[in-house]
C-alpha cells in the first residue's frame, strides 16, 4: 500500500478558529483538483508551484462545503516526502468532518494514528529517534522536556548513535576481512587497540544514559508519596501544592482514607503527588486498605515526603514510618512550625540515628555505613502548610536532590525514553562482553559477534534494525493526524 493516499483531521476535534485536514500520498493532487474550486473556477491545485497557498472552496460537485485555504507541498519536499495537501478550513467539528468525508469519498483513506510521521520515517526523512521526539514534543509538559525533544527532532541522538554504530561496523568489517585474509591483514595486538575503542564507545554510551533516569523523571514526573501520621498535615500539603481543595482536610484523625493523586508543576519539575491515609496500624478495615496501598505506593515512589507534626511529640506512628524510609530519597517536613514546637530537627535526626544504630548492631558493617549516611542526612525543612512557610525551600531541595544542577549546565539535553534506554543498555552489555573476550584472549570472531549485537541494539534507536511490529506499535501511540 506504499504511497496510497491517506487523510486525517490534523487539528483538535473541538470547535476552534481553524481546522486542518491533511492529505498525503500519490493521489493527493488528483483528489484536491476534484474538490477544490477557486473563485474564478479555473485554478488547478496540481498545477500550482510547491509551497504556495490558495484561497477557494471545497465542494462536492456543486455543493460548497467550506471556504478554505489550500496549502500545496510537492514530493519530496513535505513532512511525509509525498505529495501533500493541507486544507485550512473553519474549525468546527462538523465542517472538518464533512471535508474529511469528501476527501475520502474522492479516493483517500482515513490515516491511522501517527501514519504521517510513520511515512516520514519509512521514507527515510527522519529516523525513529526523531519520529519519537515528535510525540515527545507534542506531549512535553515542561520547558526542559520541550527543549530536549526539539534537539532530538533535529537529530541530536541520531547523530551520536550513528557515529557509534559506524565505528562498530568499521571494526566488525576489519575483523571479518582479517579472518578471511590472514596473509595480508594481521590481527596481532588488535585486542589492545579494540579494547581502547571499546572503552571510548562505552563512555559515550554511558554519557547518553547518564541523563536517562532524570529524563524520565522530567518527562513523566517524579512519583512522590506523602506520608506521615494522621493529622500531620498531609492533605493540607497536597492542597497547598496543588492549589486546589481536593482532599478533605479534617481534624478527625484518619479520615483521609483514600489514596489521592495530583499532578503538580513545581517550577518546571513535575510531581505526581500521592497523598495516603496516615500510615499506622489500624483495625478499621476501610482505613486499612488505604494504609496497605500507601505502603505499596512507597515501594514505587521516586521521592517520599514525610510530614512530621512538629507541634506534637514523635510517637510510635512516626517510628514506624521512619523504618520505611531507609534507602529512599526522602524529604522531611517539620510541619506546623507556626505552632509551639514539641519536636525539633535534632529530635528527628536522633530518632533516625537510633534506627540506624539498632540496625548497625544487627547487620553487615559496610552496607550499614552507607545507610547511616543516607538516613542521617535527609533534608529536613521547617514547614507550615497554614502559613505557607518552606515551599520555596522544598522546591530547591527537590531540584538539588534529583537534578543537582545538571539540567542547566548541560547544553544538549538527552531525555531518552524507556525504549531507547533499553537499547543503550543492551549495547553496553554487548560491549562489556567484547571486553571480557579480549581479556580472556578469546578468538577474534568472538569479538565480532558481540560487536554485532551492540551494533544491532543501537540500530533499534534509529529504527534501522527494527521489526515492522515494533514500528507499528510505536506509531500507534501517536495522535490522529500526526
Ligand atoms: P492529614 O491527616 O495528615 O492529612 O492532616 P490534615 O492535612 O487533614 O491536617 C490536620 C489538621 O492540621 C487540620 O486541622 C489542618 O488545618 C491542620 N494543619 C495542617 N497543617 C498545619 C500547619 O502548618 N499549621 C497549623 N497550625 N495547622 C495545620
Amino acid at each position: 500500500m506504499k504511497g496510497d493516499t491517506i487523510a486525517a483531521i490534523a487539528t483538535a476535534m473541538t470547535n476552534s478558529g481553524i481546522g486542518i485536514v491533511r492529505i498525503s500520498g500519490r493521489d493527493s493532487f488528483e483528489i484536491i483538483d476534484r474538490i477544490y474550486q477557486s473563485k474564478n473556477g479555473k485554478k488547478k491545485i496540481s498545477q500550482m508551484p510547491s509551497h504556495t497557498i490558495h484561497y477557494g472552496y471545497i465542494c462536492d460537485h456543486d455543493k460548497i462545503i467550506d471556504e478554505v485555504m489550500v496549502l500545496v507541498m510537492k514530493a519530496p519536499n513535505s513532512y511525509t516526502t509525498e505529495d501533500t495537501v493541507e486544507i485550512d478550513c473553519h474549525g468546527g467539528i462538523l465542517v472538518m468532518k464533512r471535508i474529511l468525508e469528501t476527501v475520502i469519498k474522492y479516493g483517500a483513506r482515513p490515516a491511522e494514528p501517527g501514519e504521517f510521521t510513520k511515512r516520514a520515517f519509512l521514507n527515510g526523512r527522519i529516523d525513529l529517534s526523531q519520529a519519537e521526539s515528535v510525540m515527545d514534543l507534542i506531549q512535553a509538559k515542561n520547558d526542559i522536556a520541550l527543549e530536549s525533544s526539539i534537539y532530538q527532532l533535529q537529530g541530536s541522538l541520531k547523530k551520536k548513535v550513528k557515529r557509534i554504530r559506524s565505528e562498530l561496523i568499521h571494526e566488525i568489517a576489519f575483523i571479518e576481512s582479517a579472518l578471511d585474509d590472514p596473509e595480508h591483514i594481521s590481527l596481532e595486538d588488535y585486542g589492545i587497540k579494540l579494547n581502547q575503542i571499546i572503552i571510548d564507545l562505552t563512555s559515550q554510551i554511558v554519557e547518553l544514559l547518564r541523563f536517562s533516569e532524570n529524563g524520565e523523571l522530567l518527562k513523566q514526573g517524579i512519583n512522590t508519596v506523602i506520608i506521615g501520621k494522621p493529622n500531620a498535615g498531609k492533605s493540607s500539603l497536597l492542597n497547598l501544592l496543588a492549589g486546589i481543595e481536593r482532599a478533605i482536610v479534617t481534624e478527625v484523625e484518619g479520615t483521609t482514607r483514600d489514596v489521592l493523586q495530583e499532578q503538580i508543576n513545581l517550577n518546571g519539575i513535575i510531581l505526581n503527588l500521592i497523598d495516603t491515609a496516615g500510615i499506622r496500624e489500624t483495625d478499621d478495615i476501610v482505613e486499612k486498605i488505604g494504609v496497605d496501598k500507601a505502603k505499596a505506593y512507597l515501594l514505587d515512589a521516586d521521592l517520599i515526603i514525610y510530614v512530621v507534626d512538629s507541634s506534637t511529640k514523635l510517637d510510635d506512628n512516626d517510628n514506624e514510618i521512619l523504618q520505611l524510609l531507609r534507602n529512599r530519597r526522602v524529604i522531611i517536613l517539620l510541619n506546623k512550625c507556626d505552632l509551639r514546637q514539641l519536636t525539633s530537627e535534632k529530635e528527628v535526626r536522633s530518632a533516625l540515628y537510633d534506627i540506624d544504630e539498632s540496625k548497625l548492631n544487627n547487620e553487615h558493617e559496610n552496607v550499614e555505613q552507607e545507610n547511616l549516611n543516607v538516613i542521617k542526612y535527609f533534608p529536613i525543612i521547617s514547614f507550615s502548610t497554614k502559613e505557607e512557610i518552606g515551599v520555596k525551600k522544598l522546591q530547591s531541595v527537590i531540584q538539588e536532590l534529583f537534578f543537582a544542577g545538571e539540567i542547566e549546565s548541560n547544553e544538549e539535553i538527552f531525555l531518552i525514553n524507556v525504549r531507547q534506554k533499553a537499547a543503550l543498555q543492551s549495547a553496553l552489555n554487548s560491549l562489556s562482553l567484547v571486553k571480557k573476550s579480549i581479556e580472556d584472549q578469546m578468538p577474534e570472531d568472538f569479538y565480532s559477534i558481540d560487536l554485532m549485537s551492540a551494533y544491532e541494539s543501537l540500530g533499534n534507536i534509529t529504527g534501522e534494525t527494527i521489526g515492522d511490529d515494533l514500528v507499528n506499535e510505536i506509531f500507534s501511540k501517536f495522535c490522529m493526524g500526526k
Side-chain angles (χ1 to χ4, degrees):
M1 294 295 273
K2 191 169 182 278
D4 69 333
T5 306
I6 53 173
I9 295 168
T11 41
M13 284 300 265
T14 54
N15 291 334
S16 56
I18 58 165
I20 297 177
V21 174
R22 203 178 208 187
I23 316 169
S24 175
R26 60 174 171 248
D27 299 331
S28 298
F29 293 141
E30 195 186 316
I31 293 169
I32 195 71
D33 277 349
R34 291 175 69 189
I35 63 172
Y36 167 85
Q37 267 187 18
S38 62
K39 233 177 174 160
N40 62 13
K42 287 188 183 148
K43 213 189 244 179
K44 271 193 177 306
I45 294 287
S46 56
Q47 283 156 19
M48 297 298 120
S50 186
H51 293 74
T52 54
I53 191 158
H54 305 274
Y55 170 71
Y57 302 95
I58 294 296
C59 307
D60 185 1
H61 293 292
D62 292 336
K63 192 167 171 277
I64 292 181
I65 296 168
D66 195 13
E67 185 186 20
V68 297
M69 302 284 281
V70 174
L71 180 64
V72 189
M73 284 163 285
K74 296 197 169 169
N77 299 315
S78 71
Y79 185 64
T80 55
T81 78
E82 302 168 337
D83 282 341
T84 298
V85 172
E86 280 179 18
I87 304 170
D88 271 28
C89 58
H90 289 102
I93 295 176
L94 188 62
V95 68
M96 292 190 290
K97 276 190 173 166
R98 278 283 138 73
I99 292 178
L100 180 63
E101 279 163 16
T102 311
V103 170
I104 289 167
K105 183 173 160 190
Y106 284 85
R109 73 164 166 82
E112 283 156 22
E115 197 170 2
F116 293 91
T117 310
K118 184 174 167 185
R119 289 190 171 195
F121 164 63
L122 292 176
N123 295 336
R125 198 178 76 79
I126 54 176
D127 83 332
L128 199 56
S129 74
Q130 290 170 303
E132 285 178 305
S133 72
V134 172
M135 257 255 284
D136 289 341
L137 190 87
I138 292 169
Q139 290 174 348
K141 293 193 187 108
N142 59 45
D143 289 347
I144 300 156
L146 181 62
E147 220 174 297
S148 149
S149 49
I150 291 171
Y151 274 128
Q152 267 200 43
L153 182 58
Q154 290 169 340
S156 55
L157 183 60
K158 165 170 113 176
K159 277 187 215 137
K160 300 224 175 215
V161 169
K162 282 207 152 168
R163 205 178 309 140
I164 299 173
R165 286 187 93 216
S166 80
E167 282 204 47
L168 289 171
I169 203 74
H170 181 84
E171 298 310 318
I172 295 167
F174 179 77
I175 297 170
E176 297 299 320
S177 40
L179 293 175
D180 279 351
D181 186 7
E183 279 176 21
H184 295 100
I185 307 175
S186 158
L187 281 171
E188 220 189 307
D189 288 341
Y190 174 69
I192 299 168
K193 184 184 155 223
L194 183 62
N195 195 42
Q196 195 49 49
I197 292 169
I198 298 297
I199 291 172
D200 178 45
L201 295 181
T202 301
S203 78
Q204 290 183 41
I205 297 175
V206 167
E207 181 67 14
L208 287 175
L209 273 170
R210 200 159 67 92
F211 297 99
S212 66
E213 187 200 353
N214 293 348
E216 274 310 297
L217 291 176
L218 272 171
K219 273 200 280 196
Q220 309 296 338
I222 298 168
N223 289 331
T224 308
V225 172
I226 303 174
I227 56 166
K229 67 185 173 195
N231 247 11
K234 299 178 295 297
S235 328
S236 309
L237 175 68
L238 182 80
N239 288 338
L240 172 65
L241 295 177
I244 51 167
E245 292 284 315
R246 249 197 72 179
I248 316 148
V249 182
T250 154
E251 299 206 17
V252 186
E253 286 192 5
T255 37
T256 320
R257 289 194 171 153
D258 234 351
V259 174
L260 296 169
Q261 191 165 3
E262 197 77 58
Q263 193 172 64
I264 63 149
N265 187 331
L266 207 63
N267 227 7
I269 297 176
I270 295 168
L271 298 187
N272 304 318
L273 276 178
I274 296 160
D275 170 35
T276 59
I279 290 196
R280 58 169 191 167
E281 293 307 323
T282 170
D283 295 330
D284 181 322
I285 296 297
V286 182
E287 190 174 306
K288 181 96 183 151
I289 294 167
V291 174
D292 285 346
K293 260 198 201 163
K295 286 189 179 171
Y297 276 111
L298 274 188
L299 292 176
D300 289 337
D302 305 310
L303 170 67
I304 298 169
I305 297 180
Y306 168 32
V307 182
V308 176
D309 181 350
S310 66
S311 72
T312 63
K313 286 260 169 222
L314 289 178
D315 59 20
D316 288 348
N317 285 325
D318 289 299
N319 286 329
E320 198 197 327
I321 292 167
L322 287 167
Q323 300 280 355
L324 303 170
L325 305 183
R326 193 171 285 133
N327 280 338
R328 311 304 307 271
R329 282 203 237 203
V330 182
I331 295 174
I332 299 175
L333 301 184
L334 286 180
N335 191 34
K336 306 196 189 181
C337 72
D338 55 297
L339 298 178
R340 201 164 76 88
Q341 300 291 281
L342 292 181
T343 296
S344 66
E345 174 173 344
K346 204 166 146 224
E347 277 154 315
V348 176
R349 293 231 182 262
S350 91
L352 288 166
Y353 194 77
D354 285 348
I355 285 174
D356 266 347
E357 283 286 272
S358 64
K359 212 178 159 222
L360 257 178
N361 299 332
N362 303 331
E363 291 174 34
H364 310 292
E365 282 219 356
N366 46 359
V367 179
E368 270 319 303
Q369 193 56 42
E370 249 171 58
N371 285 341
L372 188 66
N373 288 336
V374 174
I375 204 165
K376 249 172 75 183
Y377 298 113
F378 284 149
I380 298 183
I381 302 168
S382 189
F383 204 90
S384 166
T385 65
K386 195 171 175 196
E387 305 292 331
E388 303 191 4
I389 300 169
V391 182
K392 278 238 151 64
K393 177 81 184 157
L394 174 63
Q395 205 166 299
S396 64
V397 167
I398 294 174
Q399 168 110 23
E400 187 57 31
L401 211 55
F402 284 88
F403 307 112
E406 273 179 10
I407 308 168
E408 272 108 333
S409 64
N410 183 37
E411 268 199 349
E412 281 199 329
I413 318 164
F414 291 98
L415 300 192
I416 60 178
N417 64 29
V418 177
R419 200 186 65 79
Q420 295 162 338
K421 182 178 175 182
L424 288 172
Q425 256 155 355
S426 144
L428 267 191
N429 289 345
S430 304
L431 290 185
S432 73
L433 291 177
V434 181
K435 222 163 173 299
K436 178 110 198 351
S437 303
I438 298 172
E439 275 162 25
D440 295 347
Q441 304 192 333
M442 303 294 275
E444 282 81 3
D445 41 359
F446 275 74
Y447 309 168
S448 70
I449 291 170
D450 292 318
L451 286 171
M452 199 51 171
S453 321
Y455 178 79
E456 281 177 359
S457 301
L458 293 175
N460 281 332
I461 295 177
T462 52
E464 279 154 283
T465 54
I466 197 168
D468 286 351
D469 292 355
L470 198 51
V471 169
N472 290 339
E473 196 196 311
I474 290 168
F475 286 100
S476 69
K477 295 191 194 118
F478 273 56
C479 34
M480 212 30 133
K482 190 61 239 174

